[in-house]
């Protein structure tokens, strides 16, 4: 292909923007890498613009990124919102501008979407189902009446709410007792401090259920500092590389793989389909799988 032909092909490819949460979280770096690989395989179909924020709570920056993508007149925006409610308005603005919007990872709030008259598909996992998988596996290692604690994600994130609910489903079914449940906002440092406080307040806790692996890393540090490694079971969610190593060593019991390396690609594929077919968007559930030392062998 000549340089002129390549230039023409590039100009005709739709631009698809991927707007993620914190790139300090290994999960979203993995998501970005998966999206870039997808673009390489499909370089004739679209051009990727990839963006993320510095920490999980920088909602204003994520809104600014989407505003920039509207200004650049991208064809589609695939977004993992840091807040299930706060990002709806700016995405409604994008949709009004004729941009295809696909919601991944963390579902938009249904009531706010209805209020803003926004209809976008959610492409992602059933977080409640995934968390229950991990909670059920934990329950096989404990006995009725044992006390556990939950380290929740950001309270305004739908996936955080669903993971907490999934943990609670499993805990209730197994007859375990929730001694404490608080938010560490997805962050490792906050989780370390919170887990340390929980272990001090409730020295008979048998397990810490963490709504993402970044917080599980913090829980591992707190358990180690308390001299309780091997005595407190830790559950995570995301299947990042750092957690896989800790599962193999026995420091973490299990995590949940929502296939972060494929999640953005699933969303991009659906955005391309919507651009091509102009079809009415429908939600698409993606897989979740339990990860234990046995599955990693």
């Amino acid at each position: 292909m000549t340089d002129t032909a390549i230039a023409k092909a590039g100009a005709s490819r739709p631009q698809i923007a991927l707007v993620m949460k914190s790139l300090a979280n290994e999960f979203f770096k993995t998501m970005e890498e998966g999206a870039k690989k997808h673009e390489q395989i499909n370089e004739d179909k679209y051009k990727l613009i990839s963006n993320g924020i510095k920490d999980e709570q920088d909602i204003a920056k994520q809104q600014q990124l989407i505003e920039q993508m509207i200004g650049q007149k991208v064809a589609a925006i695939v977004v993992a919102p840091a807040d299930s409610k706060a990002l709806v308005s700016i995405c409604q603005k994008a949709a009004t501008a004729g941009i295809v919007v696909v919601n991944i990872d963390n579902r938009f709030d249904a009531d706010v979407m209805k209020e803003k008259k926004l209809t976008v598909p959610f492409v992602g996992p059933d977080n409640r189902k995934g968390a229950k998988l991990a909670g059920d596996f934990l329950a096989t290692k404990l006995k009725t009446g044992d006390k556990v604690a939950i380290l929740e994600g950001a309270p305004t994130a739908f996936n955080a709410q669903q993971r907490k609910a999934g943990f609670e489903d499993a805990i209730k079914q197994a007859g375990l007792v929730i001694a404490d449940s608080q938010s560490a906002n997805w962050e490792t440092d906050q989780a370390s401090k919170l887990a340390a406080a929980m272990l001090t307040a409730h020295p008979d806790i048998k397990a810490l259920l963490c709504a993402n692996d970044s917080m599980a890393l913090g829980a591992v540090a707190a358990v180690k500092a308390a001299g309780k490694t091997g005595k407190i079971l830790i559950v995570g969610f995301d299947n990042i590389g750092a957690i896989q190593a800790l599962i193999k060593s026995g420091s973490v019991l299990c995590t949940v793989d929502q296939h972060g390396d494929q999640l953005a690609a699933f969303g991009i594929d659906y955005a391309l389909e919507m651009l091509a077919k102009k079809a009415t968007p429908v939600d698409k559930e993606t897989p979740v799988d339990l990860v234990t030392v046995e599955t990693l062998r």
Side-chain angles (χ1 to χ4, degrees), residues 77-80 100-104 108 120-123 267-268 270-271 274:
I77 296 172
V78 176
V79 56
V100 166
V101 179
V102 175
N103 175 202
I104 62 169
F108 284 134
V120 299
F122 175 71
V123 178
I268 292 166
Y270 200 36
M274 289 172 65

Side-chain angles (χ1 to χ4, degrees), residues 90-110:
I90 190 66
C91 287
Q92 196 273 340
K93 181 178 179 181
T96 300
I99 296 170
V100 166
V101 179
V102 175
N103 175 202
I104 62 169
D105 180 58
N106 178 32
R107 189 187 291 267
F108 284 134
D109 184 272

Side-chain angles (χ1 to χ4, degrees), residues 20-33 56 80 105 125 159 163 212-214 237-241 256-261 263:
M20 295 166 290
K21 293 194 275 183
S22 173
L23 293 178
N25 182 338
E26 186 183 331
F27 176 76
F28 290 103
K29 289 298 293 180
T30 299
M31 178 185 286
E32 183 177 43
E33 289 165 7
E56 300 282 357
D105 180 58
N159 60 346
R163 290 177 195 179
N212 80 345
D213 283 345
S214 290
F237 198 116
D238 277 344
N239 193 32
I240 64 174
V256 178
D257 190 359
Q258 59 170 324
H259 305 282
D261 61 328
L263 202 49

Side-chain angles (χ1 to χ4, degrees), residues 8 13-14 22 37 41 45 54 75 81 94 101 104 127 138-139 146 153 159 179 199 219 228-229 237 288:
K8 285 183 178 178
R13 287 180 299 163
S22 173
K37 286 179 183 176
I41 295 166
K45 295 180 181 176
K54 287 187 177 180
V101 179
I104 62 169
N127 283 275
L138 171 68
D146 279 347
N159 60 346
L199 294 174
K228 293 188 174 183
T229 300
F237 198 116
V288 287

Side-chain angles (χ1 to χ4, degrees), residues 156-174:
T156 54
F158 184 77
N159 60 346
Q161 296 162 12
Q162 289 294 291
R163 290 177 195 179
K164 179 186 177 185
F167 287 151
E168 289 173 339
D169 291 342
I171 290 164
K172 181 179 179 181
Q173 186 176 310

